[in-house]
């Protein structure tokens, strides 16, 4: 399954940013733990939503690409099934050319 790691990556990036911010600003340990924990949960849920949106877009694009490919195949098949009228037109033109002379 593509995109399985999207929520995890988003969660870990946000958690590491909050952790670094808490260390830089000298937050107390309990406050840091609570802040990082809530951040991890919130960004994991956000990552799930983002993954769902990306997967839906990918499915739509793949469906449209498959439909376009099928339409192209049908169009080529229809073009191959049409009778070749160019040779009949050329023969008629040649007959006219000979009859005029």
């Amino acid at each position: 399954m593509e995109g399985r790691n999207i929520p995890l990556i988003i969660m870990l990036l946000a958690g590491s940013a909050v952790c670094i911010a808490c260390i830089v600003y000298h937050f107390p340990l309990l406050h840091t733990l609570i802040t990082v924990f809530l951040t991890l949960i919130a960004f994991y849920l956000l990552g799930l939503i983002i993954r769902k949106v990306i997967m839906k877009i990918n499915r739509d694009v793949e469906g449209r690409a498959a439909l376009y490919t099928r339409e192209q195949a049908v169009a080529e098949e229809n073009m191959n099934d049409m009778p070749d009228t160019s040779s009949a037109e050329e023969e008629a033109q040649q007959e006219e050319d000979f009859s005029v002379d």
Side-chain angles (χ1 to χ4, degrees):
M1 175 179 200
E2 298 174 25
R4 191 180 80 195
N5 295 330
I6 291 174
L8 300 175
I9 293 170
I10 291 173
M11 175 185 73
L12 290 175
L13 287 174
S16 62
V18 168
C19 186
I20 291 170
C22 287
I23 290 171
V24 168
Y25 292 113
H26 303 289
F27 282 14
L29 182 61
L30 184 62
H31 189 258
T32 300
L33 290 175
I34 291 172
T35 304
V36 169
F37 181 71
L38 293 176
T39 301
L40 292 176
I41 291 174
F43 278 90
Y44 181 74
L45 295 174
L46 180 66
L48 289 175
I49 293 169
I50 291 171
R51 178 180 69 184
K52 189 166 219 138
V53 168
I54 289 173
M55 297 304 284
K56 183 180 184 321
I57 290 170
N58 282 341
R59 271 194 309 261
D60 290 346
V61 168
E62 289 172 359
R64 288 182 183 168
L67 179 63
Y68 178 75
T69 303
R70 278 181 284 187
E71 287 176 353
Q72 290 297 322
V74 168
E76 287 180 15
E77 184 178 305
N78 289 340
M79 290 297 291
N80 291 337
D81 290 343
M82 292 178 62
D84 187 19
T85 58
S86 62
S87 61
E89 290 175 1
E90 289 175 3
E91 288 177 15
Q93 182 66 30
Q94 288 175 356
E95 288 178 10
E96 288 179 12
D97 291 340
F98 288 124
S99 63
V100 173
D101 292 332

